[in-house]
Amino acid sequence: MMKYNSLLFDWSGTLVDDLPPTLHATNAVLAEHQVAAMDREEFRNRFRLPYPEFYEEVLPGVAIEDLEDTFRAAFSQSPTGVTVLSHAREMLEWCEKEGVRCFVLSSMDVGLFTEQVRDFGLQHYFEAVYAGVIDKRERIGGILKSHGLEKDRTAFVGDMLHDVATARHGGIASVAVATGYDPRERLVKSEPTHLFEHLGDFREWMVGSFKREFRA
């Protein structure tokens, strides 16, 4: 028996690297309001989910709806595009082979997500997709219930504190990967159930857990 038979994946920073275009788009939004640009380190230290809280901090009083068009346009025009992270495709292929149910739960804009998952040819790996979710904690319970997922056999895989908090809120395991937005030291402090450098390490752990349980 495998430790987890169902996995919910975050998208940005977990399966794909979209930090460069996200930073580019964020700086375009800031420039539109005469606010100084951030470098990568400052952005990673300040950005958080739910993202309206981040924008309220850096652009107080500006409605999130007033930022979205600028963000989307700049994201699409970024000189550095989105790429699939190393080990992500292999992880999903392994899950498909082993019968692990896979889902996406992401704050990523629905339109941008739809383009990316189609362009990368990843859509068939997921049983269901929940994109454009501003606060994942508000959706996790309903997703678990609607798909009949066993809490003790399900984990949420993500790269940010919000993902760890979402898993905890849903009563499931959290798998943090240090490939995205939150620095590793911040992830450590959030005390996830598991912490891996990347999805390749998580896949190896999953294989090992299956072998250990089989021997037992």
Side-chain angles (χ1 to χ4, degrees):
M1 182 182 295
M2 200 169 300
K3 176 68 175 177
Y4 302 120
N5 60 17
S6 302
L7 297 174
L8 288 82
F9 288 93
D10 171 53
W11 184 251
S12 302
T14 302
L15 292 171
V16 303
D17 180 9
D18 63 357
L19 201 158
T22 297
L23 177 57
H24 178 82
T26 299
N27 282 333
V29 169
L30 296 179
E32 191 171 65
H33 294 271
Q34 294 77 52
V35 175
M38 298 184 191
D39 61 20
R40 183 185 176 98
E41 182 178 0
E42 180 183 6
F43 179 72
R44 289 187 75 206
N45 284 325
R46 297 185 66 181
F47 184 71
R48 67 180 184 277
L49 295 176
Y51 64 82
E53 295 180 4
F54 164 74
Y55 280 106
E56 178 59 28
E57 176 186 304
V58 297
L59 295 173
V62 179
I64 196 70
E65 294 79 13
D66 297 336
L67 312 175
E68 291 176 340
D69 288 345
T70 299
F71 183 94
R72 290 192 194 99
F75 188 98
S76 299
Q77 295 163 8
S78 170
T80 305
V82 182
T83 58
V84 178
L85 279 162
S86 298
H87 310 289
R89 196 178 297 273
E90 292 83 358
M91 179 78 206
L92 295 174
E93 289 173 350
W94 181 84
C95 287
E96 182 178 54
K97 176 184 175 184
E98 299 297 332
V100 177
R101 300 170 69 186
C102 294
F103 304 82
V104 170
L105 175 56
S106 173
S107 299
M108 167 60 68
D109 174 84
V110 174
L112 293 173
F113 169 82
T114 302
E115 290 177 8
Q116 291 172 27
V117 74
R118 179 195 63 221
D119 291 347
F120 294 137
L122 298 178
Q123 62 268 44
H124 67 282
Y125 291 114
F126 305 114
E127 185 173 326
V129 166
Y130 300 88
V133 179
I134 292 178
D135 192 333
K136 301 172 194 176
R137 293 169 297 186
E138 296 177 355
R139 297 295 301 277
I140 186 70
I143 293 171
L144 296 173
K145 184 176 181 180
S146 64
H147 293 283
L149 304 182
E150 305 169 81
K151 289 188 176 183
D152 60 345
R153 302 288 308 284
T154 303
F156 185 29
V157 188
D159 66 302
M160 297 190 70
L161 301 188
H162 184 68
D163 300 323
V164 176
T166 295
R168 190 171 290 125
H169 187 79
I172 62 175
S174 55
V175 178
V177 287
T179 52
Y181 285 68
D182 273 339
R184 191 182 195 283
E185 55 270 21
R186 189 178 297 167
L187 293 173
V188 170
K189 291 179 181 179
S190 72
E191 299 183 340
T193 311
H194 311 280
L195 174 60
F196 299 100
E197 290 302 313
H198 49 66
L199 288 175
D201 288 346
F202 176 43
R203 178 168 55 86
E204 289 183 10
W205 181 88
M206 285 279 283
V207 172
S209 72
F210 173 73
K211 290 179 178 177
R212 287 190 294 273
E213 292 191 29
F214 182 77
R215 285 197 297 268

